[in-house]
Amino acid sequence: RVALTPAGRRLVAEKFGRAVEELPAVRIGDGPFVHHDMGLTVAVALREAGAKSHHVAFRRHLFERQVRAALGAPGGALVPDGFAEFVNAAGTAHALALEMDTGTCDPKWVAANKLVVYAEHAAARGSLLGVASWSVCMVVPTLRRVHQLTAAMWTAGVPEGLVVLKHALRNAL
């Protein structure tokens, strides 16, 4: 398990050349820990991947609370669990709406109530926090869940290529 303690927050800020105030303080206990664990692991992995890549640079990452604040979205409104933005050498940005799926909701519900909404927003040429090119990256706990969500997305009519399903990251770093 991972938790960003005050000392860890300072180390991460130093590693990525950011101010400590830019990194959210994580409070364990005010939400589902597995969901938090997945989101934090993905955030660290994306930052590390961007730092190591020769083709794209990591620009920014936001956790759900920061996304909600940036959009002015009230509680209960659909917002991504996280947001990541990368930019290539030509300066073209691409963003990811990050969704952490713990496997507790029916796949048909996830497809109809989350992924179809993303698809409608994309079809309307909607940007994601100011980034025109974006997709959804959904991290899921098992390969079985990948298959269940793929079938549910197909049935719900979610366009191919909008959502990337990734089996949960374990020991990824």
Side-chain angles (χ1 to χ4, degrees):
R1 300 281 179 217
V2 179
L4 196 54
T5 64
R9 193 171 166 212
R10 284 190 302 276
L11 288 171
V12 170
E14 182 181 312
K15 163 89 173 150
F16 293 105
R18 307 224 358 234
V20 172
E21 297 76 31
E22 292 180 65
L23 301 173
V26 176
R27 294 182 310 228
I28 305 298
D30 64 348
F33 188 71
V34 171
H35 190 264
H36 161 78
D37 185 30
M38 289 171 74
L40 188 55
T41 301
V42 168
V44 171
L46 289 173
R47 288 176 192 270
E48 189 69 17
K52 291 180 177 180
S53 175
H54 300 290
H55 305 289
V56 295
F58 175 82
R59 183 178 279 171
R60 64 181 166 146
H61 175 272
L62 302 173
F63 288 101
E64 180 179 355
R65 285 184 192 166
Q66 296 166 307
V67 171
R68 193 170 295 286
L71 295 173
L78 176 66
V79 299
D81 296 326
F83 166 88
E85 181 181 358
F86 294 86
V87 62
N88 66 17
T92 304
H94 184 80
L96 297 173
L98 303 170
E99 286 290 340
M100 305 304 121
D101 179 87
T102 59
T104 56
C105 294
D106 183 291
K108 292 176 188 169
W109 184 92
V110 173
N113 294 286
K114 284 190 171 189
L115 303 178
V116 166
V117 174
Y118 283 125
E120 290 168 350
H121 184 69
R125 300 276 189 240
S127 68
L128 182 63
L129 289 167
V131 181
S133 173
W134 61 277
S135 54
V136 179
C137 177
M138 181 171 274
V139 180
V140 299
T142 64
L143 188 56
R144 180 178 181 181
R145 183 69 171 181
V146 169
H147 295 286
Q148 292 170 338
L149 284 166
T150 300
M153 287 189 305
W154 179 264
T155 301
V158 175
E160 292 182 42
L162 176 65
V163 179
V164 175
L165 297 171
K166 175 65 181 115
H167 184 270
L169 303 169
R170 294 219 170 98
N171 303 317
L173 299 176

